[in-house]
Coordinates of all heavy atoms in Angstrom, one line a residue:
A1 N 8.7 -14.8 -18.7 CA 8.3 -13.9 -19.8 C 8.4 -14.5 -21.2 O 7.7 -14.1 -22.1 CB 9.1 -12.6 -19.8
A2 N 9.3 -15.5 -21.3 CA 9.4 -16.2 -22.6 C 8.5 -17.3 -22.8 O 8.0 -17.5 -23.9 CB 10.9 -16.7 -22.8
T3 N 8.1 -18.1 -21.8 CA 7.3 -19.2 -21.9 C 5.9 -19.1 -21.3 O 5.1 -20.0 -21.5 CB 8.0 -20.5 -21.3 OG1 8.1 -20.3 -19.9 CG2 9.4 -20.6 -21.9
N4 N 5.7 -18.1 -20.5 CA 4.5 -17.8 -19.7 C 4.3 -18.9 -18.6 O 3.2 -19.0 -18.0 CB 3.3 -17.8 -20.7 CG 2.1 -17.0 -20.0 OD1 2.3 -16.0 -19.4 ND2 0.9 -17.5 -20.2
A5 N 5.2 -19.7 -18.4 CA 5.1 -20.7 -17.3 C 5.2 -20.1 -16.0 O 6.0 -19.1 -15.8 CB 6.2 -21.8 -17.5
P6 N 4.5 -20.5 -15.0 CA 4.6 -19.9 -13.6 C 5.9 -20.2 -13.0 O 6.6 -21.2 -13.3 CB 3.5 -20.7 -12.9 CG 3.2 -21.9 -13.6 CD 3.5 -21.6 -15.0
I7 N 6.4 -19.2 -12.2 CA 7.7 -19.4 -11.5 C 7.4 -19.5 -10.1 O 6.8 -18.6 -9.4 CB 8.5 -18.1 -11.8 CG1 8.9 -18.0 -13.2 CG2 9.8 -18.2 -10.9 CD1 9.7 -16.7 -13.6
R8 N 7.7 -20.7 -9.5 CA 7.5 -21.0 -8.1 C 8.7 -20.5 -7.3 O 9.8 -20.4 -7.7 CB 7.2 -22.5 -7.9 CG 8.4 -23.4 -8.2 CD 8.0 -24.8 -8.1 NE 7.6 -25.1 -6.7 CZ 8.5 -25.6 -5.8 NH1 9.8 -25.7 -6.1 NH2 8.1 -25.8 -4.6
R9 N 8.4 -20.2 -6.0 CA 9.4 -19.8 -5.0 C 10.2 -18.6 -5.4 O 11.3 -18.4 -5.1 CB 10.3 -21.0 -4.6 CG 9.5 -22.1 -4.0 CD 10.5 -23.1 -3.4 NE 11.2 -22.6 -2.3 CZ 10.7 -22.5 -1.0 NH1 9.5 -22.8 -0.8 NH2 11.4 -22.0 -0.1
A10 N 9.5 -17.7 -6.2 CA 10.2 -16.4 -6.4 C 10.0 -15.5 -5.2 O 9.0 -15.7 -4.4 CB 9.5 -15.7 -7.6
Q11 N 11.0 -14.7 -4.9 CA 11.0 -13.9 -3.7 C 10.4 -12.5 -4.0 O 10.9 -11.8 -4.9 CB 12.4 -13.7 -3.1 CG 13.1 -15.1 -2.7 CD 14.5 -14.9 -2.3 OE1 15.2 -13.9 -2.7 NE2 15.0 -15.7 -1.4
I12 N 9.3 -12.2 -3.3 CA 8.6 -10.9 -3.4 C 8.8 -10.1 -2.2 O 8.5 -10.6 -1.1 CB 7.1 -11.1 -3.7 CG1 7.0 -11.9 -5.1 CG2 6.4 -9.8 -3.8 CD1 6.8 -13.4 -4.9
Q13 N 9.3 -8.9 -2.3 CA 9.5 -8.1 -1.1 C 8.9 -6.7 -1.4 O 9.2 -6.1 -2.4 CB 11.0 -7.9 -0.8 CG 11.3 -7.1 0.4 CD 12.8 -6.9 0.7 OE1 13.4 -6.1 0.0 NE2 13.3 -7.7 1.6
G14 N 8.1 -6.3 -0.4 CA 7.5 -4.9 -0.5 C 8.0 -4.1 0.6 O 8.3 -4.5 1.7
T15 N 8.2 -2.8 0.3 CA 8.7 -1.8 1.3 C 8.0 -0.5 1.1 O 7.7 -0.1 0.0 CB 10.2 -1.7 1.3 OG1 10.6 -0.7 2.3 CG2 10.7 -1.2 -0.1
N16 N 7.7 0.2 2.3 CA 7.2 1.5 2.2 C 8.2 2.5 2.9 O 7.9 3.5 3.5 CB 5.9 1.6 2.9 CG 5.9 1.3 4.4 OD1 6.9 0.8 4.9 ND2 4.8 1.5 5.1
K17 N 9.5 2.1 3.0 CA 10.6 2.8 3.6 C 10.6 2.7 5.1 O 11.6 3.1 5.8 CB 10.7 4.3 3.2 CG 10.9 4.5 1.7 CD 11.0 5.9 1.4 CE 11.3 6.1 -0.1 NZ 11.4 7.6 -0.5
E18 N 9.6 2.1 5.7 CA 9.6 1.8 7.1 C 9.5 0.3 7.4 O 10.0 -0.1 8.4 CB 8.4 2.6 7.8 CG 8.5 4.1 7.7 CD 7.3 4.7 8.4 OE1 6.4 4.0 8.9 OE2 7.3 6.0 8.5
L19 N 8.7 -0.4 6.6 CA 8.5 -1.8 6.8 C 8.9 -2.6 5.6 O 8.9 -2.1 4.5 CB 7.0 -2.1 7.1 CG 6.4 -1.7 8.4 CD1 4.9 -1.8 8.4 CD2 7.0 -2.5 9.5
F20 N 9.4 -3.8 5.8 CA 9.7 -4.8 4.8 C 8.7 -6.0 4.9 O 8.7 -6.6 6.0 CB 11.1 -5.2 4.8 CG 12.1 -4.2 4.4 CD1 12.7 -3.4 5.3 CD2 12.4 -4.1 3.0 CE1 13.6 -2.4 4.9 CE2 13.3 -3.1 2.6 CZ 13.9 -2.3 3.6
V21 N 8.0 -6.3 3.9 CA 7.1 -7.4 3.9 C 7.5 -8.3 2.8 O 7.7 -7.9 1.6 CB 5.6 -6.9 3.7 CG1 4.6 -8.1 3.7 CG2 5.2 -5.9 4.7
D22 N 7.6 -9.6 3.0 CA 8.0 -10.5 2.0 C 7.1 -11.7 1.9 O 6.4 -12.0 2.8 CB 9.5 -10.9 2.2 CG 9.8 -11.5 3.5 OD1 8.8 -11.8 4.3 OD2 10.9 -11.6 3.9
A23 N 7.2 -12.4 0.7 CA 6.4 -13.6 0.5 C 7.1 -14.4 -0.6 O 8.1 -13.9 -1.3 CB 5.0 -13.2 0.0
L24 N 6.7 -15.7 -0.8 CA 7.2 -16.5 -1.9 C 6.0 -16.9 -2.8 O 4.9 -17.1 -2.3 CB 7.8 -17.8 -1.3 CG 9.1 -17.7 -0.5 CD1 9.5 -19.0 0.1 CD2 10.2 -17.2 -1.5
S25 N 6.3 -17.0 -4.0 CA 5.2 -17.4 -5.0 C 5.0 -18.9 -4.8 O 5.9 -19.7 -4.5 CB 5.6 -17.1 -6.4 OG 6.8 -17.7 -6.8
D26 N 3.7 -19.3 -5.0 CA 3.4 -20.7 -4.9 C 3.7 -21.5 -6.2 O 4.3 -21.0 -7.1 CB 2.0 -20.9 -4.4 CG 0.9 -20.3 -5.4 OD1 1.3 -20.1 -6.6 OD2 -0.2 -20.1 -5.0
D27 N 3.2 -22.7 -6.3 CA 3.4 -23.6 -7.5 C 2.8 -23.0 -8.7 O 3.3 -23.3 -9.8 CB 2.9 -25.0 -7.2 CG 3.7 -25.7 -6.2 OD1 4.8 -25.3 -5.9 OD2 3.2 -26.7 -5.7
E28 N 1.8 -22.1 -8.6 CA 1.2 -21.5 -9.7 C 1.7 -20.1 -10.0 O 1.2 -19.4 -10.8 CB -0.3 -21.4 -9.6 CG -1.0 -22.8 -9.5 CD -2.5 -22.7 -9.3 OE1 -3.0 -21.6 -9.0 OE2 -3.2 -23.7 -9.4
G29 N 2.8 -19.7 -9.2 CA 3.4 -18.4 -9.4 C 2.7 -17.3 -8.7 O 3.1 -16.1 -8.8
R30 N 1.7 -17.6 -7.9 CA 0.9 -16.6 -7.3 C 1.5 -16.2 -5.9 O 2.0 -17.0 -5.2 CB -0.6 -17.1 -7.1 CG -1.2 -17.4 -8.4 CD -2.7 -17.7 -8.3 NE -3.3 -18.1 -9.6 CZ -3.6 -17.2 -10.6 NH1 -3.4 -15.9 -10.4 NH2 -4.1 -17.7 -11.7
F31 N 1.3 -14.9 -5.6 CA 1.8 -14.4 -4.3 C 0.8 -13.4 -3.7 O -0.1 -12.9 -4.5 CB 3.1 -13.7 -4.5 CG 3.1 -12.4 -5.3 CD1 2.8 -11.2 -4.7 CD2 3.2 -12.4 -6.7 CE1 2.8 -10.0 -5.4 CE2 3.1 -11.3 -7.4 CZ 2.9 -10.0 -6.8
Q32 N 0.9 -13.1 -2.4 CA 0.1 -12.1 -1.7 C 0.9 -11.4 -0.7 O 1.6 -12.0 0.1 CB -1.1 -12.8 -1.0 CG -2.1 -13.5 -1.9 CD -3.3 -14.0 -1.2 OE1 -3.6 -13.5 -0.1 NE2 -4.0 -15.0 -1.7
L33 N 0.8 -10.1 -0.7 CA 1.4 -9.2 0.3 C 0.1 -8.6 1.0 O -0.5 -7.7 0.5 CB 2.3 -8.2 -0.2 CG 3.5 -8.7 -0.9 CD1 4.3 -7.5 -1.5 CD2 4.4 -9.5 0.0
N34 N -0.2 -9.1 2.2 CA -1.4 -8.7 2.9 C -1.1 -7.7 4.1 O 0.0 -7.6 4.5 CB -2.2 -9.9 3.4 CG -2.7 -10.8 2.3 OD1 -3.2 -10.3 1.3 ND2 -2.5 -12.1 2.4
D35 N -2.2 -7.2 4.6 CA -2.1 -6.3 5.8 C -1.2 -5.1 5.6 O -0.4 -4.8 6.5 CB -1.7 -7.1 7.0 CG -2.6 -8.3 7.3 OD1 -3.8 -8.2 7.0 OD2 -2.1 -9.4 7.7

């Protein structure tokens, strides 16, 4: 948030109270939670 530089390998976790879906951000800071 201070430098606007991408953050790699951040842990992203999504939940709908029944399932947990996780991913890691890539070198450009991008992530996808699919399906």
Side-chain angles (χ1 to χ4, degrees):
T3 66
N4 203 38
I7 298 177
R8 63 183 299 269
R9 299 191 66 79
Q11 298 177 333
I12 297 93
Q13 185 181 76
T15 178
N16 64 351
K17 297 184 179 181
E18 294 182 357
L19 288 172
F20 287 93
V21 182
D22 52 14
L24 291 175
S25 59
D26 62 17
D27 291 343
E28 297 180 350
R30 302 191 181 282
F31 68 90
Q32 294 187 24
L33 298 177
N34 295 316
D35 303 325

